Amino acid sequence: MQGYANAFRDEEVQAAITGGLIGTIAVSTLLWADASVPTQPGQWFEISNADDAEVFAQSLERTQRRVQGGTGIGAGVAEAIRMLDRNGFDGLRQIVDVSGDGVETPPRQTVIEMPQARAMAEARGVTVNGLAILNEMPYLDRWYRTHVITGPSAFVMMAANFRDFQRAIKRKLLKEIRGLPDV
């Protein structure tokens, strides 16, 4: 959470937000774990200046992770898409940012898994991007490319480990906010 908070405090990220087509973004968080465990959604924030970014960063720092267990990426993505559907904002793009350090683990009950979550995103025109933390799985980025990302200009970035996360999430946010194509 500190990596995200620091990224939103970064002047370059703030400039990307304010310099965009409408000069503002709406952002929220969703913490998830095992697909059978309820997710932990955050509130939505509209960021259009440094003060707004600071309020969001402070909210991130106060967030305590209450979910534990396996890795239910599909259920997390599906809930994030539902949050986009209900957020009250009319954005030009809708993006789900999946950051994690493992592949989807087999569910203990019937839940939404990544194939269904990707189809849900595609049907709604939502882009799902990934940030694979390679700490324990050096080829996780390949799994994310095959199983997680979808949508217009979807991409995967990598963090070598948790210490590298802050650098990687800043780069990822800049790419998502600016909406620049790969070259």
Side-chain angles (χ1 to χ4, degrees):
M1 296 310 278
Q2 191 63 54
Y4 275 108
N6 290 345
F8 277 94
R9 285 185 173 116
D10 186 272
E11 290 179 8
E12 190 175 4
V13 171
Q14 292 174 9
I17 293 169
T18 59
L21 193 57
I22 58 175
T24 188
I25 64 169
V27 63
S28 184
T29 58
L30 174 71
L31 302 180
W32 47 270
D34 189 274
S36 61
V37 175
T39 58
Q40 184 181 333
Q43 71 181 78
W44 283 92
F45 291 80
E46 186 171 359
I47 300 176
S48 58
N49 57 50
D51 291 338
D52 295 342
E54 180 59 30
V55 169
F56 181 59
Q58 288 178 17
S59 171
L60 293 170
E61 289 173 331
R62 289 189 304 271
T63 300
Q64 298 296 313
R65 184 176 177 87
R66 295 184 308 267
V67 293
Q68 296 182 21
T71 307
I73 301 173
V77 168
E79 181 58 25
I81 292 168
R82 288 185 206 102
M83 287 175 65
L84 287 168
D85 288 345
R86 302 184 301 253
N87 71 7
F89 292 99
D90 188 22
L92 300 176
R93 294 181 294 139
Q94 294 182 322
I95 298 172
V96 173
D97 168 7
V98 177
S99 298
D101 65 346
V103 300
E104 187 164 55
T105 54
R108 295 179 233 177
Q109 60 189 27
T110 303
V111 296
I112 293 177
E113 294 183 78
M114 274 315 301
Q116 296 87 7
R118 287 178 79 198
M120 191 175 170
E122 290 165 6
R124 288 172 169 81
V126 173
T127 298
V128 178
N129 295 325
L131 175 58
I133 304 168
L134 308 180
N135 212 40
E136 297 174 17
M137 301 183 82
Y139 303 106
L140 183 61
D141 58 311
R142 293 181 192 165
W143 191 88
Y144 268 44
R145 277 189 193 87
T146 303
H147 300 284
V148 175
I149 68 167
T150 190
S153 303
F155 63 89
V156 172
M157 287 190 167
M158 296 158 286
N161 51 45
F162 289 109
R163 288 184 310 280
D164 187 39
F165 181 81
Q166 184 170 319
R167 176 205 57 83
I169 197 60
K170 175 186 170 184
R171 283 187 48 235
K172 184 171 186 290
L173 287 171
L174 287 170
K175 184 171 176 64
E176 286 171 336
I177 293 166
R178 291 176 176 156
L180 300 175
D182 289 330
V183 290

